[in-house]
Amino acid sequence: PKTDIVFLKVHKSASSTVMNILFRFGETHNLTFAFPRGGGFQLYYPYHFLATFVQGFSPLSPRRFNILCHHMRFLQPEVQKVVPSSAVYFSILRNPVQLMESSFVYYKGASAFSRVRSLQEFLSQPYRYYNPASGDRHYARNLITFDFGFNPDGDASPGRVQLMLKAIEASFDFVLISEYFDESMVLLKEMLCWDLDSVVSFPLNTRDSSTRSTLPEPVVEKLKAWNRLDWEIYTHFNRTFWDRIDRDIGRERMRREVRALRERQAELARTCLQGTGSVAPKDIKDSSLRPLQHGGARILGYNLKQGLDRELERTCRRLVMPELQYSSLLYKKQFPPPSP
């Protein structure tokens, strides 16, 4: 199994669920994480990543960390200073149309969105609300492009797009697609030589459907044009994702693996969860399992069954633990506070 991993956590792309998988694998195998200094939850995002952002990194000692997976703005030469040269690099993308609809609800306080009532209103005349010089502009335009380290307001000519795609392919071993999450997990398992239980998950950091909206076709076209760079990245890697599956796994085996993954997830849901799945924040009984609520989104969570034996309770709890709580727990484990 591969244990040295860089995961570029692209915003609003099922990346919290992937992060939970990496947290569980790292904890089970006693691996070290490249945590933000001081135990924060982002690696000084939205600045480009620097090795000095990592707790315990020193340019004088060549300490390397196994897993780098917190939010960052990618900059490979700096990333290479904190992980072994053998590290596997991967990321996950989401269709930019749904991504921006999600961003709009989640980052409603961002300067570009704060004065509009709807995404339609914003896209009708984006430059009226969007300021390329504002520090939070990336939430409103080409967020994928930004997270990969490029300029979200850059030129979208075919030549420049090709350079950007080549740069991503040179840095990343593979890119997953959140719309095909189960297939992505099978590919992840394959690429990392992990077992099935290492990639099972319950969806985390997902929104209540009452805050989701379907966009009319003219708005979708405007959105694609406005996020042209993201659209180019997504369509390219959506295509290469299936090429990779055909080459390395094959559709028939993929179907079998996906079925096995879903059966295992259903079995764990029956074992671990009260009811059939996620619940609204107000209905989460254990406050330590309540996810952070952000912007206009209502983030769902889970209730565990009562009376599970200790080992099983621990396994189930890790599966549903929100990102911030899990990150804090692992940080304290890796950097124990000095005893009084």
Side-chain angles (χ1 to χ4, degrees):
K2 305 271 198 304
T3 53
D4 298 323
I5 292 157
V6 174
F7 171 53
L8 178 63
K9 187 175 188 288
V10 171
H11 285 76
K12 317 308 317 142
S13 304
S15 53
S16 294
T17 309
V18 177
M19 196 175 188
N20 175 272
I21 287 169
L22 296 174
F23 279 169
R24 283 184 285 125
F25 186 86
E27 186 181 22
T28 305
H29 294 84
N30 218 7
L31 304 176
T32 58
F33 290 89
F35 283 108
R37 275 170 58 183
F41 302 112
Q42 300 195 339
L43 289 154
Y44 293 75
Y45 188 85
Y47 298 103
H48 271 109
F49 177 81
L50 295 175
T52 50
F53 294 167
V54 172
Q55 178 78 43
F57 171 81
S58 155
L60 307 173
S61 75
R63 176 171 187 193
R64 295 282 194 263
F65 300 86
N66 300 115
I67 299 178
L68 174 61
C69 64
H70 286 72
H71 271 309
M72 63 171 160
R73 189 173 183 206
F74 190 67
L75 186 61
Q76 192 164 18
E78 289 292 315
V79 169
Q80 286 168 333
K81 294 176 185 175
V82 298
V83 294
S85 57
S86 60
V88 176
Y89 287 67
F90 78 100
S91 186
I92 188 164
L93 303 179
R94 181 183 186 186
N95 185 313
V97 175
Q98 281 77 45
L99 181 121
M100 192 171 186
E101 188 272 327
S102 179
S103 261
F104 182 78
V105 174
Y106 206 79
Y107 301 112
K108 190 69 187 78
S111 53
F113 294 150
S114 58
R115 305 201 323 276
V116 293
R117 285 186 304 278
S118 67
L119 200 46
Q120 282 94 315
E121 190 182 341
F122 172 78
L123 288 163
S124 65
Q125 37 186 347
Y127 281 111
R128 186 176 164 191
Y129 309 107
Y130 176 82
N131 174 5
S134 78
D136 60 0
R137 76 191 194 285
H138 49 283
Y139 292 124
R141 187 177 202 190
N142 289 316
L143 182 51
I144 297 171
T145 304
F146 184 87
D147 285 356
F148 273 93
F150 302 101
N151 175 8
D153 297 301
D155 155 35
S157 65
R160 188 176 178 283
V161 166
Q162 280 312 308
L163 281 174
M164 184 172 70
L165 295 174
K166 283 195 164 53
I168 296 172
E169 287 189 321
S171 301
F172 288 82
D173 296 289
F174 56 101
V175 175
L176 307 174
I177 301 290
S178 69
E179 283 78 13
Y180 304 105
F181 191 79
D182 293 341
E183 290 84 354
S184 290
M185 292 307 98
V186 171
L187 187 62
L188 181 69
K189 172 174 90 74
E190 194 70 13
M191 301 307 294
L192 300 179
C193 305
W194 287 7
D195 62 8
L196 182 70
D197 267 13
S198 297
V199 297
V200 296
S201 62
F202 297 145
L204 295 176
N205 207 25
T206 54
R207 275 189 300 157
D208 175 347
S209 58
S210 69
T211 60
R212 295 170 193 261
S213 58
T214 310
L215 303 171
E217 196 51 42
V219 176
V220 168
E221 290 311 311
K222 278 183 186 163
L223 195 154
K224 285 182 192 170
W226 175 247
N227 293 291
R228 175 69 193 283
L229 295 171
D230 276 12
W231 186 250
E232 295 284 357
I233 293 173
Y234 176 77
T235 50
H236 174 80
F237 285 102
N238 191 0
R239 192 172 58 249
T240 59
F241 175 77
W242 293 101
D243 293 344
R244 168 61 67 83
I245 285 169
D246 289 337
R247 195 179 70 227
D248 293 353
I249 300 175
R251 301 282 171 117
E252 187 46 51
R253 189 175 142 223
M254 175 56 86
R255 276 191 284 274
R256 287 199 307 275
E257 296 261 3
V258 165
R259 195 179 317 120
L261 177 66
R262 287 175 182 164
E263 282 167 6
R264 182 66 181 128
Q265 272 162 195
E267 186 188 336
L268 279 164
R270 287 192 298 272
T271 305
C272 295
L273 303 180
Q274 275 182 34
T276 52
S278 51
V279 296
K282 64 177 178 31
D283 298 323
I284 300 168
K285 298 186 182 84
D286 181 342
S287 61
S288 71
L289 294 177
R290 196 169 291 142
L292 174 76
Q293 302 299 312
H294 201 291
R298 278 212 309 240
I299 308 298
L300 304 173
Y302 296 92
N303 285 318
L304 293 181
K305 275 188 177 160
Q306 301 298 300
L308 299 169
D309 72 57
R310 212 169 122 210
E311 194 52 37
L312 188 56
E313 205 268 349
R314 188 176 173 283
T315 300
C316 294
R317 179 170 284 272
R318 296 294 194 267
L319 274 162
V320 302
M321 191 177 285
E323 179 184 321
L324 304 191
Q325 287 92 312
Y326 206 162
S327 186
S328 297
L329 179 132
L330 293 173
Y331 179 82
K332 289 187 188 111
K333 211 170 151 180
Q334 191 167 308
F335 301 103
S339 44

